Amino acid sequence: MEGDPRFAEFVAERGDALLRYGYVLAGNPHDAADLVQEALLKLRGAWSRLRLKENPESYARTTMARLHIATWRLRRRELLAWDLPEGAHHDPLPSGDERRMWQALAGLPRKQRAVLVLRYYEQLDDAEIAAVLGISRGTVRSQAARALDKLRAGLPSEPMTRGNVR
């Protein structure tokens, strides 16, 4: 298939006609060139089957039409908004306890912080965390234990009273 002169001849003979067809489909020369290029790539992949048939141009045109329709469908789903959202959304500032917790979390080593975020924020189990980070499950458990110990040591402890139990 590499260097098949019949494919090169086909492109040389019918390339301009395909480009004109692409222009009619897309309405501009840039998208037309993209359609032709994509169709010729697909045609090149199927050339060994299609060269025995009488009309590979039909395959190329059909491919171009399908590619154009697929692109059109994707663009149709986009919702373009010219107006900005009505108001800016601002997250409330974290309370003192939350701020201290985020600072303590930021102070952890990267692997420990990643383990805690994946466990408590992403709700992953130890096996999933191990797969994401490329470490063993035992390492996940030890890193989590060390991280929690550091967090407990760094945050002031409050006596357990009925008012502050969450």
Side-chain angles (χ1 to χ4, degrees):
M1 186 167 102
E2 193 67 30
D4 189 346
R6 289 175 285 191
F7 181 77
E9 290 172 8
F10 170 77
V11 172
E13 290 176 10
R14 302 306 305 157
D16 289 339
L18 290 174
L19 191 57
R20 286 190 299 272
Y21 179 69
Y23 185 83
V24 171
L25 280 176
N28 71 64
H30 305 293
D31 290 343
D34 288 344
L35 285 174
V36 171
Q37 184 175 16
E38 289 293 322
L40 289 176
L41 284 172
K42 291 182 183 293
L43 179 63
R44 178 75 169 132
W47 186 252
S48 61
R49 292 174 303 183
L50 293 171
R51 70 178 176 200
L52 302 175
K53 296 187 179 183
E54 293 179 15
N55 196 359
E57 186 173 354
S58 175
Y59 177 87
R61 287 178 181 262
T62 301
T63 302
M64 289 171 65
R66 288 180 180 163
L67 287 168
H68 176 66
I69 289 169
T71 303
W72 174 75
R73 284 181 180 156
L74 287 174
R75 288 181 184 162
R76 187 180 67 178
R77 289 184 198 144
E78 291 179 352
L79 178 61
L80 299 177
W82 294 102
D83 299 325
L84 294 174
E86 292 185 23
H89 174 74
H90 296 287
D91 289 331
L93 293 174
S95 68
D97 290 341
E98 290 173 343
R99 195 171 326 126
R100 283 194 304 270
M101 176 58 89
W102 282 110
Q103 288 170 346
L105 190 61
L108 292 175
R110 290 184 324 176
K111 191 182 291 186
Q112 291 177 7
R113 185 172 56 244
V115 166
L116 290 186
V117 168
L118 291 172
R119 179 180 278 177
Y120 296 108
Y121 187 76
E122 294 292 329
Q123 301 291 316
L124 299 181
D125 63 26
D126 289 347
E128 292 169 322
I129 295 169
V132 168
L133 296 178
I135 57 178
S136 71
R137 288 173 46 181
T139 303
V140 169
R141 288 190 294 273
S142 68
Q143 292 293 312
R146 288 181 186 143
L148 291 173
D149 287 344
K150 285 183 182 181
L151 288 178
R152 284 186 196 107
L155 294 177
S157 60
E158 296 177 357
M160 292 294 281
T161 64
R162 191 165 182 91
N164 68 0
V165 174
R166 293 183 180 131

